[in-house]
Amino acid sequence: MKKFRKVLDGLTTSSPGGPIGSPSCGSAAGTPTAAPTPREIDVQETLISENFQLCKTVRHGFPYQPTALAFDPVQKILAIGSRSGGVRILGRPGVDCYCQHESGAAVLQLQFLINEGALVTACADDTLHLWNLRQRRPAVLHSLKFNRERITFCHLPFQSKWLYVGTERGNTHIVNIESFILSGYVIMWNKAIELSTKTHPGPVVHLSDSPKDEGKLLIGFESGTIVQWDLRAKKADFRIYYDEAIHSVSWHHEGKQFMCSHSDGSLTLWNLRNTTKPFQVTFPHGKIQKDGRKESCKPILKVEYKTSRSSEPFVIFSGGLSYDKAGRRPTLTIMHGKAITVLEMDYPIVEFMVLCETPYNNEVQEPYAVVVLLEKDLIVVDLTQSNFPVFENPYPMDIHESPVTCTAYFADCPPDIIPILYSIGTKHKKTGYSQKEWPVSGGTWTLGSHTYPEIIITGHADGSIKFWDASAITLQMLYKLKTSKVFEKPKPGEGRAAELVEEDPFAVQMVSWCPQSRIFCVVGISAHIILYRFSKYDANTQIVSLEVRLQCEPEDVISPSENENNPCFTEPGSHSPQPHHQHPASPGNRTPEGMKDSVPCLKVKDRMVRVPPGYQSDLVIQLLWVDGEPPQQITSLDINSAYGLLAFGNCNGLAVVDYLQKTILLCMSTLDLYGATDPYQRLTRSPRRNRQSTSGLTELTDNQQSIDMERSKSPTSESRENSFSRSRSSSVSSIDRDTKEAITTLQFGESYGRKSDALPTPCLWVGTSLGVVLLIPMSIPTDQEERMEEAVTIGPSGAVLMLKGSVLRFGFLDCMGALIQSPYEVWRDLNAPEDPDRPRRRKLVHFSPSSSQDACGEGHLAVVCSERQAKVFLMPSQSCLFVHNITESSFVLRADVVSVCNSVCLACFCANGHVMTLSLPSLRPLMDVNYLPLTDMRIARTFCFTNGGQALYLSSPTEIQRITYSQEMCDNLQEMLGELFTPIETPEAQNRGFLKGFFGGNAHTFDREELFGEAAAGKASRSLAQHIPGQGGVEGMKVAASGVVGELARARIALDERGQRLGELEERTALMMTSAETFSKHAHELMLKCKDKKWYQF
């Protein structure tokens, strides 16, 4: 608890005319400074550094660039590995865990220790890792780094502690899962194949133990060689040399035959009675041509051969289509008896896995589903129904359905908003899914006590908007809105949109949402804004369109024309932008030279349209082309439902629209907003150099708003994924006339537009890219009838505040330090049937700056944050109370005044990856964490803070990463996360019967420990692989290695360990005795040898 009493004398105020670099209130880096005032401001700050800690909470979406798949059939959890070294483990909805290998190496293969609560990962850096899944945040227990060989394939038999590892050289090594140490038992490639064979068989592509006998290991080499290795006899039972490369092998459960998939699109079935040639060869998709030859087919990358009691076996494979069918989509083929079903996929298949009822490979498999991992989707097919429907995916795997271009995050929403969005969204859901429950149902998750309504909004490149329920660290789609439906479809190769942004003319740049009034605003890349109102009823509507000419020209600065760039109030003028329904481009819209003029980029539908319940478009605002030049993209937006006003700006100027009366109130260039109070000495220069130039100011070239980004590219363009430039100019005392001063942030609120104001009035706060803050007071009629008929008066007051760098965010506090919310209108459904007894009236909720004060008109505090610094001003005197220079070497990308721990703070995210929090109002640094080493455009565009100490960003093009900077939430995170492991008894093996057990081989008498243990096999070469202990700890290792639970089991483990230690002690004693005897013997031999030698003979 720290109490601030600052004395302010009103004499030292921020001088509008002074240079940015020298604010009159002082700016020592990192040191909050104060200026005096005639009375005391008493703010008790409760936040301290111990309230803050940064940690990742949960990751949503589809794993980016997936590489591997695994499933635990007993625990029923699924693991997906990725190219960046990430592992996602999924169970029932709510059970969703993300792990990351420190090396960042791609995951090649995943193997669950079935029902053990552990997972083995094989990575591209030739390292094996053992993960403990018996904790909510999995950790690596062991790692084993291969030094001389590259890992190509791994196989772990069910209930075995010995992992088979195949390598690129064709060798097979064996790893003890408990100790993660290599066994001395190695199957060398030259022993596996015949000595007469002159060529190397290639890398190991398959390993599996025979279902009939665990002592037999089937090894598949890439070249087409297959060897069954007798582990006991250390020799090959049989060798198959096939002339087509092998991609995969799958056993029949009886262990008498197996199937291979090959590079020529064929499947071969081999019988162990005769391995000289395949029992059957089929080309499932290879038809015989007219000349009698088979069609050449693509490789079958994987095949699975699964048996069923009640029907014919299933043969499921990926690939194998004929080459001549160009443009065919990737396929999964299901052969069931004589029926062949080909399932076409939207994306290439990375991996698939058949889910079976039993974990034992020597029992009838009973397949019930197949999981298909695609490059950009995860699909599960129901095999129990003849039409093979897919299951409805409960995870949010379609965030990237169209690339995400912007995000917004709202914590603590009104509780009624989520159910109503969900009820409307469910009406538009797809049908035809399997009626069965989602088969990946493992783990446990309960709704924690620390939950509140949260909504995430994503804007996409195709113009769609998605609302997601993000409560309790889960993510579920609520409602989807398509903004492109407002416009006519642009015809290919023609139209204004085609010339402007051919790829994504409807791409969403930013959104603004008022959850209380349910008014929603979308800004698109084609310089358009759509305002939506929410209704539970469908309606027939005519979309109202306003067109705004917002262009600042160099000539206008030197010699302004009569009407151009003057404030546009409600009186009409010859060049003033006027509200009208949009009209198509006509010859009159073009200049004599054929240049476009006064036409928008897109054409709004000009007919009556029927709109379903949900968000319905109320108004479309479009910026116009001017003299053959496209409109500049909109860089800032704010909407206020209580005022009925919408403000937006770009690098040319500012416009304010009354969306209730559908009129333009203000439309002027940034320079004209200043009037006589321009803080810069603008340099005169010759006109008409380059209309779009931004020379003289680096703030505009790499601004986070991407003001001058190439108009021809969509926001999904790869060129934007580059990292930020770190050099930015800190202050500018004189500005080139041709420089565009962009409007970078806007905020409506009750404030004091002038120093002389005694009471707060509606104001618009305007921040620019040159660090200037302008206050624009407004007069809004309060009566409902008057508000709809009388004009809102609005005009710049001339009040100017200054900061270093582009202004990013405003926030308002009362004089007790509490956050003042913007006024809003309570939602009302305009399409609801009229009730004559209860006429619909606007209900406004105001939060006056003086509401928490005893005396009225005591003023309020304004928090202003720019790319470089934060300042707190006292209104109406405009005195600067506190200033803090946030960064000198980088710049702030995102800043927000947020509530956390029943207080407020300023949260900042910098381009160098630092996340910071500052106390309010004193701007004391509370937290500064170097979170991300490098920030790219995707993260910068999507990073956003919200209340409750939470934030999010797009960690990859397909995934949303949520983080918290609240210590309280970090402490409660364990409770909120799901449990991956649940104690389940391993199903018992079926009773095989006496005769079958007698004649069916000695599968259950095979003791791997005898063969692979150190006593029998010896130690492996130390240089071959290096053991690296993990961070999981010894306790976690014991838990992961023991496949049983309960006190009895733990007691037995303790006894085993004690017995093992006694045994080890006995062995060590015996070894020491042997060593002593050997030493004594050698010493005696040496003595006899040297007995008769003279000293000079040594």
Side-chain angles (χ1 to χ4, degrees), residues 813-830:
L813 311 176
D814 63 23
C815 290
M816 300 296 287
L819 188 65
I820 303 170
Q821 289 184 314
S822 294
Y824 63 85
E825 177 190 355
V826 178
W827 174 71
R828 59 201 171 103
D829 197 332
L830 296 179

Side-chain angles (χ1 to χ4, degrees), residues 640-695:
N640 188 281
S641 56
Y643 302 159
L645 300 178
L646 181 151
F648 64 93
N650 63 8
C651 60
N652 288 329
L654 170 72
V656 180
V657 170
D658 181 339
Y659 69 78
L660 295 176
Q661 295 187 26
K662 309 288 192 291
T663 56
I664 300 163
L665 301 176
L666 181 81
C667 175
M668 56 167 54
S669 70
T670 318
L671 191 62
D672 289 335
L673 288 172
Y674 291 114
T677 58
D678 188 355
Y680 295 108
Q681 297 80 47
R682 313 255 168 181
L683 303 177
T684 51
R685 57 179 299 283
S686 58
R688 271 285 187 209
R689 192 179 72 185
N690 179 3
R691 207 181 299 256
Q692 299 295 326
S693 169
T694 54
S695 59

Side-chain angles (χ1 to χ4, degrees), residues 797-934:
S797 68
V800 176
L801 310 171
M802 304 289 295
L803 284 89
K804 285 185 195 173
S806 179
V807 181
L808 298 177
R809 183 65 67 187
F810 300 118
F812 307 118
L813 311 176
D814 63 23
C815 290
M816 300 296 287
L819 188 65
I820 303 170
Q821 289 184 314
S822 294
Y824 63 85
E825 177 190 355
V826 178
W827 174 71
R828 59 201 171 103
D829 197 332
L830 296 179
N831 294 341
E834 288 282 356
D835 185 350
D837 300 329
R838 296 178 63 189
R840 271 203 309 267
R841 297 186 65 81
R842 295 182 76 213
K843 291 180 188 171
L844 306 184
V845 179
H846 284 270
F847 301 92
S848 171
S850 56
S851 59
S852 63
Q853 308 295 308
D854 298 330
C856 191
E858 282 221 354
H860 72 90
L861 303 174
V863 182
V864 187
C865 186
S866 76
E867 291 177 325
R868 303 281 181 183
Q869 64 179 186
K871 287 186 178 183
V872 176
F873 296 95
L874 177 66
M875 304 304 289
S877 70
Q878 298 173 17
S879 4
C880 177
L881 304 186
F882 303 98
V883 63
H884 177 76
N885 288 343
I886 299 167
T887 177
E888 293 295 338
S889 57
S890 184
F891 54 98
V892 179
L893 287 168
R894 202 70 186 236
D896 251 313
V897 176
V898 290
S899 61
V900 58
C901 298
N902 299 316
S903 190
V904 287
C905 70
L906 177 66
C908 303
F909 174 59
C910 290
N912 59 7
H914 281 248
V915 178
M916 308 176 194
T917 57
L918 303 171
S919 71
L920 289 175
S922 68
L923 299 176
R924 277 181 304 120
L926 295 169
M927 182 189 79
D928 185 351
V929 178
N930 187 3
Y931 173 62
L932 290 166
L934 188 68

